Amino acid sequence: MNGPEIHVEVAPALHLFVPAARRTGATPLGTDGVSTLGHVIESLGVPLTEVGALEVDGREVPVSHIPRAGETVRVRPVDRPQRVPGAPLRFLLDVHLGTLARRLRLLGVDTAYESTDIGDAALAARSAAEKRVMLSRDRGLLRRRELWAGAFVYSTRPDDQLHDVLDRFAPDLKPWTRCTACNGLLKQATKAEVADQLKHGTQRTYDVFAQCTECGRAYWKGAHHDQLEAIVERALAARG
């Protein structure tokens, strides 16, 4: 670009989005003189969903700011816990985050999930229509303007993903209240109400059941309950 040259300093928390040469403090960057600072930051590879304050020569500016020659820009990460105004906090996850979706539902967090790849446009439209925070590792998806709100999932490990989302958004936790399969709310159920889903051994061994009010799936403290209980206990302990 042949326009004004500025200097950009990207916070360490955002270094994974930029080339190594941009991780050494304030580095020069040519601009075109008409693009907004938000567009300039995105052109470096940093999704705006991950940007908190933008500071120009020590003062905070909006993403609509047009950079001028000689300015020094500091790009800060979002504050934690991050507040998303305008709607109850709830999430939408893309096809690659199925385990994270089930774990959030296990904790009672309202979490929609697409188990098939419906495309970025449809995901962004659903985020906007239902006012859900889009969680994804797809930077292109997070750049779509029609998103209600979004956040990059930094890790590929489900344990770390869950910790990061809970730390970033601090959602209310209500374990064992949602269906991990469809996100519906659970209600107490009698053995007779769910008998058609029980094998003979389960009927003989268990007496306490829950059932999803949406899809009808039955739940009980089966063989994997200890593993699920450990996930819940870690999340609650981290919340303090």
Side-chain angles (χ1 to χ4, degrees):
M1 296 184 183
N2 299 317
E5 183 178 87
I6 62 176
H7 285 76
V8 179
E9 178 185 329
V10 178
L14 302 175
H15 278 178
L16 82 161
F17 297 111
V18 297
R22 295 274 177 203
R23 303 173 186 173
T24 56
T27 57
L29 177 68
T31 68
D32 61 10
V34 296
S35 294
T36 66
L37 185 54
H39 179 81
V40 171
I41 298 305
E42 281 190 325
S43 72
L44 294 177
V46 183
L48 291 184
T49 59
E50 306 312 294
V51 175
L54 288 172
E55 297 176 0
V56 171
D57 296 334
R59 73 184 190 282
E60 190 169 334
V61 299
V63 294
S64 59
H65 174 79
I66 307 296
R68 293 187 289 269
E71 290 182 335
T72 296
V73 178
R74 289 181 171 83
V75 185
R76 306 301 189 197
V78 294
D79 292 332
R80 295 188 177 217
Q82 181 181 354
R83 302 303 179 191
V84 183
L89 180 62
R90 48 191 187 171
F91 298 101
L92 170 61
L93 280 62
D94 68 18
V95 65
H96 303 292
L97 298 175
T99 299
L100 176 60
R102 289 188 292 273
R103 292 187 178 191
L104 286 169
R105 291 169 176 176
L106 174 67
L107 295 171
V109 179
D110 189 340
T111 305
Y113 164 66
E114 291 291 347
S115 61
T116 58
D117 188 356
I118 64 173
D120 289 1
L123 284 169
R126 183 175 181 185
S127 166
E130 300 180 12
K131 296 184 177 179
R132 291 182 179 273
V133 179
M134 184 78 239
L135 300 182
S136 178
R137 288 180 51 80
D138 182 342
R139 302 180 197 184
L141 171 57
L142 295 177
R143 291 182 62 174
R144 297 191 73 96
R145 293 291 181 259
E146 58 269 45
L147 283 177
W148 165 252
F152 184 76
V153 176
Y154 285 78
S155 176
T156 58
R157 298 181 65 252
D159 286 347
D160 295 337
Q161 291 173 346
L162 181 62
H163 175 79
D164 184 49
V165 172
L166 297 183
D167 178 70
R168 177 166 174 170
F169 292 100
D172 292 335
L173 303 183
K174 300 177 182 178
W176 316 109
T177 61
R178 286 190 178 272
C179 175
T180 56
C182 81
N183 196 45
L185 294 173
L186 301 182
K187 66 176 182 67
Q188 289 184 336
T190 65
K191 184 181 294 189
E193 288 174 316
V194 298
D196 61 334
Q197 300 184 52
L198 306 180
K199 296 181 180 179
H200 183 67
T202 303
Q203 286 187 329
R204 186 173 60 249
T205 307
Y206 299 98
D207 294 304
V208 178
F209 299 91
Q211 188 173 29
C212 178
T213 57
E214 295 292 330
C215 71
R217 180 172 176 170
Y219 289 87
W220 60 92
K221 293 183 179 181
H224 301 294
H225 181 76
D226 288 348
Q227 298 174 26
L228 300 178
E229 184 70 48
I231 293 171
V232 170
E233 289 180 354
R234 285 196 299 269
L236 294 177
R239 182 60 55 86

